[in-house]
Amino acid sequence: MMNVRKTSIFVLIIIIALAFVFTACDNENDNTGDTQDTQDTQDTPQQFDNIPAAQNETPDTDGSFNDITAAQLVADIKIGWNLGDTLDAHDHGEGWLSDTVLGMETAWGKPVTTKEMITAIKNAGFNAIRIPVTWYKAADSNYNIRADWMARVTEIVDYAVDNDMYIILNTHHDEHIFRLTNEQKNTSLNAFEKIWEQIADNFKNYNEKLIFEALNEPRTVGVPHEWTGGNAEEWANLNEYYQLFVNTIRESGGNNDKRILMVNTYGGYGGQNAIDGLVIPADTVSDKIIVSIHVYQPYHFAQNGAPVGTEYSVDTWSKSNSEDTSPITDPIYRAYNRFISNGIPVIIGEFGAQDKNNEAVRAQWAEFYIGYAKSRGVKCFLWDNGTFDINDGELMGFFDRNNNTFPFQDYLAGLMRGAEGEWEEENTTITKTVVFNENIYDAGDGQGEIAHGYQVRFPLSELLGSIQVADGDTYTLTYMVTSNVAIGNLQAVLVDTRQAVDHWKELSGYVDIGAVNIDSPVSGTKAITAAETAGDSSDSANQFVLVINESDIAASAPTLTFTALSLVKDNSFS
């Protein structure tokens, strides 16, 4: 018995020693770590059952909370930056991901995040940061988040708190466990609720500058419509996620009962189908929801990473070309009309343009993009994946985190010009001779049809550059005009003519310019207010029309000469 006891004690000492060694190894802060065995993560997260679930105490903050609306918060954002390819790094279910905290953070080759990095971003002019986080990789089979991972996310959030920045914290690349099909919805909703319960509890005492973003680009991976807006089944299920999200956060205590929350369209898509498919969840407090879309446009300039000249990839862009500007303005208009005009603010959570040795052009693009979005009340967050080598992926690198520098100073300056400057719609005073040679008839139903009377129309882009008329827009028309025949009353109207060459949708009411005399110039200014929104920013959808009723003219086919004609858009938006 004595020998057995000694042997048992010896074995126990060895076990304790080995346990100490393994624990120490597990807590090492290296970037490599042991790799996991390959496993299918499509239905469950990677297994960390041997690691304690998150049991951290809720971080202690000063408790102050400025109870502002979502619109007030968005208005105070200047421009935001994404800490991309860092906390969101994962292994696509291939099983090679390190199980150490810093190993997971640096899995995609980006350096460990430091407070100095975030301070450099703030000093460069960004007052907001989006922190994408993938959670399933650090959760056990019951979706309990590891304490050390939650602590590291908190540490990085605190870097931004110390810099007095607005912070968006989300779930990112968790499509493996958050599914949108009817078949997988219930299990996924359980995982979604469990993950957000823990995030909400950990950050419940933070102030109003911390925003929770429910998802990233919620979608069904691999289906044909993955990046084109989804379908009815997925929209319904996604909206169920968002209602659960709001309910979960509001019930979690602390400041979360009034925290501002953000929801995304399907896939972050800015198409009308995805925008219309999103239902703003019911809330216990008013005006606390933001909508987010992602807009990498024009695609072949901004996101197509093929060598320039192949696969339609281009390195040129011009604000005077509607084919270059409308892919930017169209989704912003859609979001403005669907949400902002109804009191719901919008953020572009991701945008950017790959480096194609075209920094000067990217700077012009950035100034236009940010300035235009700002004019509509939309604030933008630049996607930065820290990649500068084509062999490492998409060249969306902006801030070099290896040395805390900004390699593209012109690009940075363009972003800041857009964020800080006053947006000015392009407007031109032109001279123009117009010949009225088409008859029209207005049935009084807002649809102009050719019958009798006279009209001439031309694209608004001649006066304003690329434009999409939106409900509520106001314009000042300035003119000096003469006619070859006396006209009793000249009228102007904005229309969308996409439906047919002889058919239009009125975007504004008819504005009376008044009588025009023979050889005696008539001048003045008139206000035109849009009551409808053009279908897109194409020339055919945004037309300026001059109209003369048949009773207001004695001769046919009159000719008007404008020695001055301009249309200036009022930049005040709700």
Side-chain angles (χ1 to χ4, degrees), residues 13 24 44 46 127 184 227 260 281 302 322 377 399 532 549:
I13 292 172
T44 59
Q46 293 192 49
N127 74 335
Q184 299 163 310
W227 298 113
I260 292 169
S322 63
F399 173 59
E532 298 285 345
N549 291 326

Side-chain angles (χ1 to χ4, degrees), residues 214-271:
L215 296 161
N216 169 46
E217 293 169 341
R219 65 197 190 279
T220 300
V221 176
V223 297
H225 55 262
E226 179 179 1
W227 298 113
T228 57
N231 61 32
E233 175 184 321
E234 292 166 310
W235 299 331
N237 291 334
L238 179 58
N239 291 325
E240 193 170 339
Y241 271 85
Y242 289 146
Q243 191 59 64
L244 177 61
F245 170 66
V246 170
N247 296 345
T248 300
I249 303 304
R250 294 294 178 241
E251 294 169 0
S252 60
N255 291 325
N256 289 339
D257 62 345
K258 51 189 177 293
R259 185 170 307 285
I260 292 169
L261 308 177
M262 193 157 83
V263 296
N264 318 69
T265 57
Y266 180 97
Y269 187 52

Side-chain angles (χ1 to χ4, degrees), residues 87 103 125 132-133 216 218 263 343 361 380 419 443 451 473 551:
L87 298 181
V133 183
N216 169 46
V263 296
V361 177
C380 305
D473 284 353
S551 60

Side-chain angles (χ1 to χ4, degrees), residues 73 114 186 279 287 325 350 358 373:
L73 184 148
T114 65
N186 290 337
V279 175
D287 303 322
T325 57
E350 292 182 18
N358 59 341

